Amino acid sequence: MLGILIRLLVTALAALLTAYLLPGVKLQDFTTALLLAIVLGLLNLIVKPILVILTLPVTVVTLGLFLLVINALIVLWASSLVKGFKVDNFWWALLFSVVLSIISSFMMSLGPEDRVD
């Protein structure tokens, strides 16, 4: 349970930093970033697997690059669900998803390692 909370906080902080770096993305405050992290997590948990299965032939033909399009569509959908979060267009959503992944991965790597002894 603590791991999920840490992941949500890291994603919220990464979203704030990403929105600060990208002029085509607006994020109101930390509360909105936290809500965005929850919505993105739920969309990635429920909707993304369905989209991946439905678009499997396209994903195979593009050698997996179509997954970036799916991520951008999920970000656009999240921007329509979360008030205070706005993405100007598809390209900003695509860039937001890539930068958010990089920043959150980097931030998670700074934390303690999960080891099973």
Side-chain angles (χ1 to χ4, degrees):
M1 185 68 179
L2 184 61
I4 294 171
L5 291 175
I6 290 172
R7 170 70 80 182
L8 281 175
L9 289 174
V10 166
T11 304
L13 288 172
L16 274 174
L17 182 59
T18 304
Y20 177 76
L21 293 174
L22 300 177
V25 179
K26 306 290 183 265
L27 191 56
Q28 192 172 0
D29 55 8
F30 183 73
T31 307
T32 307
L34 201 54
L35 182 61
L36 174 66
I38 293 169
V39 168
L40 282 175
L42 288 173
L43 288 174
N44 282 328
L45 181 69
I46 298 167
V47 176
K48 188 175 180 178
I50 296 168
L51 289 176
V52 168
I53 290 171
L54 290 175
T55 61
L56 193 59
V58 177
T59 304
V60 169
V61 168
T62 61
L63 302 175
L65 290 176
F66 194 74
L67 293 175
L68 294 172
V69 173
I70 292 173
N71 287 341
L73 292 174
I74 288 175
V75 168
L76 285 173
W77 195 6
S79 73
S80 68
L81 294 174
V82 177
K83 285 189 176 184
F85 176 60
K86 183 180 180 299
V87 180
D88 287 344
N89 57 36
F90 173 81
W91 299 108
W92 285 116
L94 182 69
L95 192 58
F96 178 82
S97 68
V98 170
V99 174
L100 179 69
S101 295
I102 292 169
I103 291 175
S104 62
S105 295
F106 175 73
M107 290 173 72
M108 287 300 288
S109 72
L110 295 176
E113 294 181 21
D114 292 335
R115 292 189 300 174
V116 177
D117 289 56

